[in-house]
């Protein structure tokens, strides 16, 4: 998982607990109506306590640390533990279970007390690196120990979990390198049955030319923490600002994706490129390169997205931003994996929030195919929106599940999200949404109405999508029916009052669409109800004026 520069969040005041309580109550109120095919449901809420500094917390799925059959969840708190003038940081572990609770089961402290900023700025679940049957973590401390050199630590899982990371990775690199800024799990890339991983130091050689470097670490029993340089950038390329790993060519071995954004170049500050290194032949000179489209397009990130089109190859997303004289445009290029490692763009997604990326979320709907997650942070004109794009052979960039949560945006300074794992072992992956106010864990509860990603069966009826959502002046509703008849589309407000009703003649089974005008609808939350031959389906719609 790629990290980011440590935000200067100490200046942000303590969070108002009253606002957090209101926020939690609003979430419980909002998430009550099933979407077509499934409901984005609130699973758990982890709010900060008053005894710790929770700024810049880093949540992550952790795998099964204690091997009890339940995935676990962790939160890194780089500012969460203070010793005198230092902040060595800490990690909180929340063990999964049939009844998941939000009380930390284990608190992991730094092995050193003399560091200005501590562990947990980045976290990577790397699997079992020493072959003992327990999943392990790598904890980054990119700003640790004066002059921003950066360190990393291995936390080994076990039947009894320790309160300190057991292995230190302290590389022999220059100060200011930001070692630990980015990390990625390679699984078993060298075929020795131990899990491996990589760590980026994007400002390696900071006093000279900021080349950036990426180091590889191979698992073993015992694990050897000595770094091995994998690839190094040229002058000002900032190699390793973003790193990710997945199987792009479908050979069963993870490939390595590394960005070279050239963020600090003086003459041409917004160039850069991304390189893909085949895992079956780890050679820094052997790669496929995804070039930037022009000299004024910035690389904002790169990620393996999982196999979102279910063809046996993991897919890639590269987040780019165009910085023109009068406008800024941001988009995500999607490349479908293939045996020949094709670099042709297959799809383009333009996010509503230029600071947010598409997030690989694993299998959220339980159909065995990877899904994508997108979360938009609130501003003065719109509310937070959670969107899930269901993976499958017919993958498209129209969200299959949407939920609008009323976050009090005056408490929100950033937002991110990611997979949390199957915390209660019900076969459905939970995911988290993280703000500086609260961490919300959600899951997708399937309600038996198809979302359009699977073939319709006789007797089923479902609203496939409402677009745009939130809407302003008009809206289009796509729906699926399995029989002919007269469909009735109705709109209700939160008090249950019917505000709109129209009929649509269905002359053939399949997908249909209907449009209607929202000019008379004030801002708010509404429910769209579809009725046909004693069957019905309801979805939530937001109107923003």
């Amino acid at each position: 998982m790629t990290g980011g520069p440590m935000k200067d969040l100490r200046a942000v005041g303590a969070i108002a607990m009253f606002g957090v309580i209101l926020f939690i109550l609003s979430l419980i109120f909002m998430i009550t109506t099933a979407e077509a095919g499934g409901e984005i449901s609130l699973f758990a809420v982890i709010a900060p306590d008053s005894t710790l500094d929770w700024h810049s917390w880093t949540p992550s799925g952790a795998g099964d640390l204690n091997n009890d059959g339940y995935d676990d969840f962790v939160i890194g708190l780089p500012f969460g533990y203070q010793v005198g003038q230092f902040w060595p940081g800490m990690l909180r572990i929340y063990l999964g279970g049939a009844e998941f609770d939000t009380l930390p089961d284990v608190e992991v402290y730094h092995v050193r007390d003399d560091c200005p900023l501590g562990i947990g700025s980045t976290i990577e679940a790397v699997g079992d690196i020493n072959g003992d049957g327990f999943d392990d973590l790598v904890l980054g401390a990119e700003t640790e120990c004066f002059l921003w050199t950066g360190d990393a630590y291995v936390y080994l899982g076990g039947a009894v979990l320790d309160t300190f990371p057991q292995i230190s990775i302290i590389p022999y690199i220059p100060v200011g390198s930001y070692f630990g800024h980015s990390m990625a799990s390679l699984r078993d890339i060298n075929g020795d049955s131990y899990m491996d991983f990589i760590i980026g130091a994007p400002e390696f050689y900071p006093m000279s030319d900021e080349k950036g470097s990426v180091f590889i670490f191979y698992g073993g029993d015992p694990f050897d923490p000595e770094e091995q340089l994998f690839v190094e950038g040229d002058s000002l390329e900032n190699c390793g600002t973003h790193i990710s790993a997945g199987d792009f060519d479908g050979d069963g071995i993870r490939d390595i994706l590394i960005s070279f954004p050239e963020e600090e170049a003086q003459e041409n500050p917004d160039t850069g490129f991304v390189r893909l290194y085949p895992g079956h032949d780890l050679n820094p000179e052997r790669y496929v390169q995804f070039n930037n489209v022009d000299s004024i397009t910035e690389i904002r990130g790169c990620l393996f997205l999982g196999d979102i089109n279910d063809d046996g190859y993991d897919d890639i997303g590269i987040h780019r931003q165009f910085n023109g004289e009068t406008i800024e445009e941001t988009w995500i290029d999607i490349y479908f994996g293939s045996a020949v490692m094709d670099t042709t763009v297959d799809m383009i997604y333009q996010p509503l929030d230029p600071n947010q990326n598409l997030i690989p979320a694993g299998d959220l709907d339980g159909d065995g195919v990877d899904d994508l997650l997108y979360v938009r942070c609130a501003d003065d004109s719109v509310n937070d929106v959670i969107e899930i794009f269901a993976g499958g052979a017919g993958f498209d960039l129209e969200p299959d599940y949407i939920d609008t949560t009323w976050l009090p945006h005056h408490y929100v300074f950033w937002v991110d999200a990611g997979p949390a794992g199957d915390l209660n072992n019900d076969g459905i992956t939970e995911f988290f949404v993280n703000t500086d106010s609260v961490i919300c864990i959600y899951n997708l509860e399937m309600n038996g109405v198809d979302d359009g990603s699977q073939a319709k069966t006789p007797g089923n009826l479902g609203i496939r999508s409402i677009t745009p959502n939130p809407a302003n002046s008009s809206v289009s509703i796509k729906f699926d029916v399995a029989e002919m008849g007269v469909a009735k589309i109705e709109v209700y407000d939160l008090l249950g009052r019917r505000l709109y009703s129209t009929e649509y003649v269905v002359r053939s089974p399949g997908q249909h669409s209907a449009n209607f005008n929202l000019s008379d609808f004030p801002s708010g939350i509404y429910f769209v109800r579809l009725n046909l031959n004693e069957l019905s389906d309801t979805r939530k719609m937001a109107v923003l004026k």
Side-chain angles (χ1 to χ4, degrees), residues 475-493:
V475 71
S476 175
I477 300 174
K478 293 182 179 179
F479 57 94
D480 294 285
V481 297
E483 56 189 49
M484 296 182 290
V486 178
K488 180 179 289 188
I489 300 174
E490 301 171 313
V491 180
Y492 293 83
D493 64 12

Side-chain angles (χ1 to χ4, degrees), residues 244-268:
S244 186
D247 187 9
F248 191 72
D249 56 5
D251 64 356
I253 303 173
R254 283 200 163 186
D255 309 308
I256 301 174
L257 193 67
I258 301 176
S259 74
F260 298 70
E262 300 188 23
E263 291 181 345
E264 304 299 331
Q266 299 300 316
E267 296 180 0
N268 202 1

Side-chain angles (χ1 to χ4, degrees), residues 466-526:
I466 300 174
T467 55
N469 192 6
N472 179 267
S473 58
S474 63
V475 71
S476 175
I477 300 174
K478 293 182 179 179
F479 57 94
D480 294 285
V481 297
E483 56 189 49
M484 296 182 290
V486 178
K488 180 179 289 188
I489 300 174
E490 301 171 313
V491 180
Y492 293 83
D493 64 12
L494 290 174
L495 298 178
R497 297 174 297 191
R498 187 173 66 183
L499 306 179
Y500 178 88
S501 178
T502 187
E503 292 184 345
Y504 182 94
V505 178
V506 177
R507 294 185 171 85
S508 63
Q511 184 180 137
H512 297 262
S513 64
N515 303 318
F516 62 89
N517 189 286
L518 297 175
S519 59
D520 294 332
F521 284 67
S523 296
I525 294 295
Y526 301 88

Side-chain angles (χ1 to χ4, degrees), residues 145-289:
C145 297
F146 305 103
L147 302 179
W148 315 97
T149 301
D151 291 340
Y153 299 84
V154 173
Y155 181 80
L156 298 174
V160 177
L161 296 175
D162 206 339
T163 56
F164 292 93
Q166 297 89 338
I167 302 172
S168 299
I169 302 175
I170 303 176
Y172 296 98
I173 60 176
V175 297
S177 295
Y178 284 88
F179 179 83
H181 171 87
S182 53
M183 302 177 180
S185 168
L186 300 179
R187 295 183 181 168
D188 181 16
I189 199 168
N190 61 347
D192 64 355
S193 301
Y194 297 99
M195 299 295 107
D196 313 308
F197 59 92
I198 50 177
I199 296 179
E203 297 195 22
F204 193 67
Y205 293 127
M207 302 305 179
S208 55
D209 53 12
E210 297 182 1
K211 295 179 178 180
S213 297
V214 173
F215 300 88
I216 189 167
F217 297 83
Y218 293 106
D221 184 17
F223 170 74
D224 183 358
E226 184 176 353
E227 74 275 6
Q228 299 184 41
L229 179 64
F230 172 58
V231 64
E232 184 177 82
D234 291 328
S235 177
L236 297 172
E237 286 183 343
N238 297 108
C239 166
T241 300
H242 317 93
I243 55 179
S244 186
D247 187 9
F248 191 72
D249 56 5
D251 64 356
I253 303 173
R254 283 200 163 186
D255 309 308
I256 301 174
L257 193 67
I258 301 176
S259 74
F260 298 70
E262 300 188 23
E263 291 181 345
E264 304 299 331
Q266 299 300 316
E267 296 180 0
N268 202 1
D270 296 316
T271 59
F273 50 88
V274 174
R275 286 177 179 169
L276 177 66
Y277 297 83
H280 65 265
D281 181 17
L282 281 180
N283 183 335
E285 302 301 322
R286 177 179 167 82
Y287 54 82
V288 173
Q289 184 159 307

